[in-house]
Amino acid sequence: MSRGALGKNNWALFLMLLAGIMLGGFIGNAAAGVSGLSWLNYGQSFGFASPIVLDLGILVITFGLSIKITIASIIGVLIAIIIYRLI
């Protein structure tokens, strides 16, 4: 297998995982108000509590990262992996 084809497959997997995380997060937020499906939005958030600011005088850069992992996003990742393996 050529190196280019391997890189393409890795990018496809990355994009599938990203889509699964985003779709799962969206479904988790939508299901938060539904009594029978509210467990899909259960999860943990981690990251920086406040952004880190780097002031260089003429340039100010602000770094921030916050990730919320929910049950729905984990299910989305698993579905993305299954779809990727089928393709």
Side-chain angles (χ1 to χ4, degrees):
M1 183 181 290
S2 69
R3 184 171 173 89
L6 181 63
K8 183 177 180 182
N9 289 337
N10 289 338
W11 278 109
L13 176 61
F14 174 73
L15 291 175
M16 292 286 289
L17 290 175
L18 189 61
I21 291 170
M22 291 177 57
L23 187 60
F26 175 74
I27 291 171
N29 284 336
V34 180
S35 62
L37 298 175
S38 62
W39 59 273
L40 287 172
N41 200 34
Y42 178 76
Q44 181 68 36
S45 294
F46 59 93
F48 297 119
S50 61
I52 298 171
V53 178
L54 176 63
D55 189 356
L56 302 172
I58 60 170
L59 180 67
V60 177
I61 302 173
T62 304
F63 299 101
L65 178 68
S66 178
I67 298 173
K68 182 177 181 183
I69 297 176
T70 63
I71 300 294
S73 64
I74 292 171
I75 293 171
V77 166
L78 293 175
I79 291 172
I81 291 172
I82 291 169
I83 291 172
Y84 176 76
R85 295 193 74 165
L86 291 175
I87 292 177

